[in-house]
Amino acid sequence: PHFSMQIEVAKLEELPNREGFLFRSGPHQIALFRLENEVRAIDNVCPHAGASLADGYTDGEVVACPWHCWEFSTKTGKCSTISGCEVEVYPVVVEDGIVKIELPE
């Protein structure tokens, strides 16, 4: 998709480190994962059964779905459990301590 709309999510220090954070904007549900000063964002809905990936078990690099433990990279969105399965990845910018996410038009 073409990303063009940038939305402020939160201050960096408000995001828990190495835990999921759910952000909603219109039809979008996005799971954010903070690794110290880096933030990654993926689609929140697990494509298997619809669980919230923000509620999953994570080290920040990988998140395991809380329902069936499918694992997704927070960097690429690719599922390491099921080949060919993935979730959308959203570009994130941290400017002056503010986390901003880019959403499709």
Side-chain angles (χ1 to χ4, degrees), residues 12 22 24 32 35-36 38 41 44 51 60 63 75 77 92-93:
L12 182 63
L22 177 60
R24 289 185 172 100
L32 290 99
L35 294 90
E36 306 305 331
E38 180 185 359
N44 182 57
V63 60
K75 187 173 191 167
V92 177
V93 177

Side-chain angles (χ1 to χ4, degrees), residues 1-9 23 25 28-30 32 39-43 88-95 98-105:
H2 177 70
F3 296 97
S4 66
M5 188 169 56
Q6 200 175 69
I7 295 183
E8 287 188 14
V9 174
F23 176 72
S25 177
H28 304 284
Q29 286 189 43
I30 300 165
L32 290 99
V39 178
R40 297 176 179 174
I42 62 174
D43 191 54
E88 186 72 50
V89 175
Y90 298 90
V92 177
V93 177
V94 180
E95 289 179 339
I98 303 293
V99 178
K100 300 175 183 178
I101 190 166
E102 293 185 25
L103 297 177
E105 293 181 323

Side-chain angles (χ1 to χ4, degrees), residues 5-96:
M5 188 169 56
Q6 200 175 69
I7 295 183
E8 287 188 14
V9 174
K11 292 181 180 172
L12 182 63
E13 69 258 16
E14 293 173 346
L15 296 182
N17 199 35
R18 300 187 188 279
E19 289 181 34
F21 177 87
L22 177 60
F23 176 72
R24 289 185 172 100
S25 177
H28 304 284
Q29 286 189 43
I30 300 165
L32 290 99
F33 301 92
R34 176 181 168 198
L35 294 90
E36 306 305 331
N37 293 319
E38 180 185 359
V39 178
R40 297 176 179 174
I42 62 174
D43 191 54
N44 182 57
V45 180
C46 180
H48 175 224
S52 170
L53 294 176
D55 292 336
Y57 313 101
T58 187
D59 62 0
E61 296 281 345
V62 173
V63 60
C65 176
W67 290 358
H68 302 105
C69 295
W70 284 27
E71 293 185 347
F72 297 87
S73 164
T74 61
K75 187 173 191 167
T76 66
K78 293 192 184 319
C79 180
S80 59
T81 310
I82 303 295
S83 178
C85 183
E86 61 186 77
V87 292
E88 186 72 50
V89 175
Y90 298 90
V92 177
V93 177
V94 180
E95 289 179 339
D96 300 322

